[in-house]
Amino acid sequence: MEKYIINGQKRLSGEIIVSGAKNAALKIFPAAILSDQPCLIKNVPEIEDLARLIEAMKDLGAEITQQKKGEYLVSTKNIKKTEIKPDLAKHLRSSIMLAGPMLARFGEVSLVHPGGCIIGQRPIDLFLEGFQKLGAKMTENGEQYTLKAKKLKGAKIILPKVSVTVTENLMLAATLAEGVTQIKNAAMEPEITALADYLNKNGAKIKGAGTPVITIEGVKSLSAGEFTLIPDRIETGTLTILGLITNSQITIKNCNPEHIENLLYSLNKAGANLEIGNDYITTYLSKLKGTNIVTHEYPGFPTDLQPPFTVLMTQANGLSLIHETIFEGRLFYTDILNQMGANIIMCDPHRVVVMGPTTLQARRLVSPDLRAGITLVLAALVAQGTTILENIYQINRGYENIVSRLQNLGADIKQINE
Ligand code: UD1
């Protein structure tokens, strides 16, 4: 079994380059299904979730080849199957991103309920409802859903809840639908704007991406070409917190600080000493004080940065109220931080109070999910002693070569297989 061995309390220094965004890659690859022409995708992160998605697309008949590090040529001309391989879908929530494009281009798709991080309820009702609004007929056979539509038809869709992947999926499906689709109460994440940019570059007619109302005028076909993924804003934020929690001066390069303004606001309030450029952030030694956050859809405080921010607050002076509003199971990792010596009280599944500062102690730990997993790496890097962290597949799902990149900053971390 693969594990990380981490010796804490080392000062870090140097520069680290942010990878392409996981949550953009997992949408742009499926978007390539909308065109029968090949697409060259650049700045692609080497992460497990994308490797699984590529496996699922290849299983459908797509040809995907790595040209060089971070560059993939995707050709979906020869897709023959319309059933997304169940054992892949079960372990990858993003497999649902294949549904909209498959339905739009081939008029049919079958999938099982997708898996992913266990951070709360992750229903797919809004996807299914949305596809049906666009004219698809759905049948259920056990845990398998089949959606069919000779030609999708534009529709007015109001989302009862703001959802990132539902917004993206419906946008993708509506791109090739007949007529105009309007998505109201749409999510506004930068990855959605990037997806619309990709589609518009290739002939789609999408307006309003990045606002709560997106209008899509369907087109008959799309072309394809080159596209460079935006930098990963969650990795950017996590690395900024890494610099602060280890009291280090590090520079996070090739990032877009504008995409994490809400985190930067909270870090500023906490007293973080940062230098912020157009495409870099440098962290300096900082004396932090407890600061409250409330997670919210973009441009609010991102739920994916809530766990790293919480561990940072274990090192800050005073009280911090952490209010997680998006997922109801996303604070349970705080119990693991308490085992390491943190002083965190859970008020209810959505709120914890962190009392800091506390000295964390190394332990034998198991990574519960992707974002809590990287948070335990941060905790281990500041803890006294040697941490053994298991179930690191969860971390490799979303962070490229994290061990060697942290080693380059001087972190004492290694991976062992035993
Ligand atoms: C995406 C991100 C994930 C991030 C999350 C919230 C990707 C691949 N993942 O996940 O990193 O944590 O946004 O910013 O981009 N919901 C329903 N019915 C549905 C779908 C969702 O009720 O059919 C609910 C969810 O239970 C949740 C809320 O909508 O409470 C928001 O989740 P959503 O934005 O859909 O998250 P994801 O798109 O899965």
Side-chain angles (χ1 to χ4, degrees):
M1 208 170 38
E2 297 168 325
K3 299 171 184 149
Y4 291 162
I5 310 291
I6 304 169
N7 287 306
Q9 299 198 321
K10 297 266 179 320
R11 272 280 157 90
L12 312 182
S13 64
E15 298 178 348
I16 182 163
I17 292 174
V18 171
S19 305
K22 160 184 168 285
N23 287 351
L26 294 173
K27 325 301 167 55
I28 301 282
F29 274 68
I33 293 176
L34 291 172
S35 171
D36 60 4
Q37 294 170 28
C39 169
L40 182 68
I41 309 175
K42 296 182 170 179
N43 200 25
V44 176
E46 304 288 335
I47 51 174
E48 289 295 332
D49 269 11
L50 185 64
R52 297 290 82 73
L53 184 77
I54 289 176
E55 226 178 301
M57 287 178 69
K58 281 185 171 170
D59 181 67
L60 293 172
E63 287 141 51
I64 302 176
T65 48
Q66 186 172 12
Q67 304 297 98
K68 57 179 185 184
K69 192 183 172 313
E71 276 191 32
Y72 284 79
L73 190 67
V74 183
S75 168
T76 60
K77 195 172 65 186
N78 294 325
I79 286 189
K80 295 273 178 315
K81 268 165 77 173
T82 54
E83 187 198 1
I84 300 163
K85 207 175 176 186
D87 55 337
L88 285 170
K90 271 187 191 154
H91 296 108
L92 180 67
R93 183 162 173 90
S94 304
S95 60
I96 198 149
M97 283 311 307
L98 300 169
M102 288 295 293
L103 189 56
R105 174 140 166 241
F106 300 104
E108 183 171 339
V109 67
S110 307
L111 72 157
V112 295
H113 198 100
C117 277
I118 301 162
I119 52 178
Q121 288 182 359
R122 304 200 79 183
I124 61 165
D125 54 326
L126 300 179
F127 296 95
L128 302 177
E129 224 176 274
F131 294 139
Q132 290 176 85
K133 283 249 168 67
L134 292 172
K137 296 271 171 289
M138 184 175 87
T139 49
E140 272 183 76
N141 182 7
E143 56 173 0
Q144 186 162 47
Y145 307 94
T146 301
L147 292 148
K148 287 187 188 175
K150 272 213 176 75
K151 186 80 192 155
L152 293 173
K153 298 236 164 20
K156 276 201 167 163
I157 301 174
I158 169 112
L159 298 179
K161 218 171 183 181
V162 178
S163 160
V164 178
T165 38
V166 171
T167 302
E168 293 165 326
N169 232 316
L170 297 180
M171 192 165 89
L172 288 169
T175 296
L176 294 185
E178 226 169 62
V180 176
T181 298
Q182 197 171 53
I183 307 171
K184 285 192 177 164
N185 200 26
M188 301 190 279
E189 270 64 7
E191 292 77 18
I192 296 176
T193 314
L195 185 61
D197 287 347
Y198 166 80
L199 295 168
N200 283 338
K201 197 173 161 218
N202 293 309
K205 293 187 175 162
I206 302 173
K207 286 196 184 126
T211 78
V213 181
I214 303 180
T215 308
I216 305 128
E217 195 184 323
V219 295
K220 287 218 160 58
S221 63
L222 285 188
S223 61
E226 268 185 39
F227 195 73
T228 302
L229 299 180
I230 57 171
D232 197 304
R233 65 194 163 92
I234 305 303
E235 189 174 276
T236 305
T238 305
L239 294 172
T240 305
I241 290 173
L242 167 74
L244 292 169
I245 203 169
T246 56
N247 279 324
S248 305
Q249 181 177 332
I250 62 170
T251 298
I252 297 113
K253 294 181 75 176
N254 290 15
C255 60
N256 186 345
E258 263 188 23
H259 288 169
I260 52 163
E261 279 175 329
N262 211 297
L263 170 74
L264 296 175
Y265 168 87
S266 300
L267 290 177
N268 181 43
K269 235 176 138 190
N273 193 0
L274 301 173
E275 182 185 324
I276 301 162
N278 280 338
D279 62 353
Y280 73 90
I281 297 173
T282 301
T283 62
Y284 296 97
L285 193 65
S286 307
K287 201 163 164 34
L288 298 176
K289 57 177 191 287
T291 300
N292 304 339
I293 57 158
V294 182
T295 64
H296 194 276
E297 294 85 14
Y298 192 85
F301 192 102
T303 170
D304 287 350
L305 286 173
Q306 173 269 111
F309 188 85
T310 302
V311 74
L312 181 65
M313 288 302 101
T314 68
Q315 305 306 302
N317 214 326
L319 295 181
S320 311
L321 174 64
I322 309 293
H323 190 168
E324 167 60 57
T325 65
I326 316 258
F327 294 111
E328 64 287 348
R330 207 166 209 184
L331 285 169
F332 294 124
Y333 71 90
T334 53
D335 189 43
I336 309 178
L337 296 180
N338 278 344
Q339 288 165 30
M340 297 177 80
N343 193 356
I344 302 174
I345 293 175
M346 184 168 281
C347 314
D348 58 53
H350 284 285
R351 289 177 306 161
V352 293
V353 174
V354 184
M355 279 149 285
T358 44
T359 304
L360 301 182
Q361 303 293 338
R363 290 277 181 276
R364 207 182 173 101
L365 306 172
V366 179
S367 170
D369 63 70
L370 172 63
R371 307 302 177 188
I374 196 73
T375 297
L376 294 182
V377 172
L378 298 182
L381 287 170
V382 75
Q384 271 177 355
T386 305
T387 295
I388 300 171
L389 181 57
E390 295 178 2
N391 197 24
I392 55 167
Y393 177 79
Q394 284 296 332
I395 299 167
N396 295 331
R397 279 184 43 214
Y399 297 91
E400 173 178 328
N401 280 334
I402 197 68
V403 168
S404 61
R405 289 163 74 213
L406 292 179
Q407 282 170 347
N408 285 343
L409 292 174
D412 190 346
I413 176 170
K414 65 179 180 204
Q415 181 170 330
I416 58 159
N417 304 317
E418 64 176 29

